[in-house]
Amino acid sequence: MADKLGMAKNKNLRESETSAPENTKELLVQAAKHLFASKGYDGTTVKDIADRAGVNISLVSYHFNGKEGLYRTCILEFGQSRLDAAQRVLQVPSSYEECRVRMQMFVEEMMSWMMANPECCQMIQREAELGLPVAQDVFESTFLQVFVTLKKFIAASQEKGFLNPEFDPHLAASLFHMSLVHITQMDKLGARFFGLTLQDEKYQKKVKDHLIEIFLKGLAGAKHQARGE
């Protein structure tokens, strides 16, 4: 009896997959991001996701092995892309000027990704606030490593003499990264109350330039900037 039920289930899954759109996985991921961001993991059902994606509910299990698998996929894709960018950009610099350029590239990469993926950012923020109950391993292997990469970059720049070694690289990386994340996450409030938004290219450039100036001038100091040059 169990074998027959299993065969029937597999048949239904194959039929659902055959009749589903070619981009079913992407539809499910996009639907899941929206719902997880707005309703949270516990507040989102598999039916909610399937209905929003416009596909058979069984395809969530077929493609992702259930709701948790889909949730983890959403976070992993975003986290891995940010880590890849950080590791590509934050190579050990050979001069103070290169250190500056690489930090500018890091800010541009991270800000662009966060602005393009606000729902993923909201998912990560909620996950962190709840103590990482669903995807701690994904967080540790991707988002945490972005921070570690930044911290190593600052420490390496200090060792090279481009940044003041008196500053704690962990605290410096924390303050820099948190400022970048906070500015991006608070963009809607900035637009609402001050009429300033990162969607405005001129304002976005000003934000990036100020962030780099404030942190690099503070981290380097005149003596270390002169040495780096």
Side-chain angles (χ1 to χ4, degrees):
M1 182 66 176
D3 290 342
K4 289 183 179 180
L5 289 174
M7 291 174 64
K9 182 178 179 180
N10 290 334
K11 180 182 179 183
N12 290 336
L13 282 172
R14 288 195 299 270
E15 291 176 348
S16 296
E17 174 62 11
T18 300
S19 60
E22 291 184 4
N23 60 336
T24 297
K25 291 182 69 173
E26 181 60 25
L27 290 172
L28 285 169
V29 168
Q30 292 305 318
K33 286 178 182 179
H34 175 82
L35 291 168
F36 286 140
S38 59
K39 301 173 66 174
Y41 180 80
D42 291 335
T44 300
T45 67
V46 174
K47 186 177 185 304
D48 290 335
I49 298 170
D51 287 348
R52 183 173 180 84
V55 301
N56 190 292
I57 190 172
S58 63
L59 295 177
V60 175
S61 294
Y62 181 86
H63 288 294
F64 302 99
N65 199 31
K67 184 174 79 167
E68 182 175 332
L70 179 50
Y71 180 87
R72 290 166 62 85
T73 295
C74 294
I75 293 180
L76 180 60
E77 288 182 355
F78 182 51
Q80 190 61 54
S81 65
R82 287 179 62 182
L83 177 58
D84 290 344
Q87 292 178 335
R88 182 183 71 254
V89 168
L90 296 179
Q91 300 290 320
V92 178
S94 58
S95 67
Y96 171 78
E97 184 56 35
E98 183 182 346
C99 174
R100 180 188 184 86
V101 170
R102 290 193 176 278
M103 290 196 76
Q104 287 175 327
M105 292 169 63
F106 176 76
V107 169
E108 290 172 0
E109 290 272 5
M110 295 301 107
M111 189 174 287
S112 294
W113 273 106
M114 287 186 285
M115 289 178 62
N117 297 274
E119 292 169 337
C120 286
C121 290
Q122 193 169 344
M123 288 173 63
I124 294 302
Q125 183 177 2
R126 179 181 281 112
E127 180 79 4
E129 290 173 351
L130 294 176
L132 307 171
V134 183
Q136 179 172 330
D137 58 325
V138 175
F139 182 87
E140 290 179 351
S141 66
T142 56
F143 297 99
L144 183 61
Q145 295 309 308
V146 172
F147 172 79
V148 170
T149 300
L150 176 60
K151 177 180 173 180
K152 288 181 177 178
F153 175 82
I154 292 174
S157 298
Q158 289 174 317
E159 291 176 5
K160 290 276 189 176
F162 308 139
L163 300 179
N164 191 334
E166 295 180 3
F167 288 99
D168 185 322
H170 182 88
L171 290 177
S174 296
L175 291 169
F176 186 79
H177 192 262
M178 285 191 294
S179 296
L180 176 57
V181 171
H182 183 76
I183 288 171
T184 307
Q185 290 181 337
M186 295 294 105
D187 189 54
K188 287 185 178 180
L189 289 180
R192 178 178 178 181
F193 292 108
F194 302 105
L196 299 172
T197 174
L198 294 172
Q199 301 297 332
D200 181 333
E201 292 184 3
K202 290 184 179 179
Y203 178 68
Q204 184 182 136
K205 183 179 184 305
K206 182 182 289 188
V207 169
K208 293 174 181 177
D209 290 345
H210 276 52
L211 187 62
I212 294 296
E213 285 295 315
I214 290 170
F215 275 89
L216 273 188
K217 284 186 176 179
L219 278 172
K223 178 178 69 175
H224 293 279
Q225 287 186 46
R227 184 184 302 174
E229 294 170 352

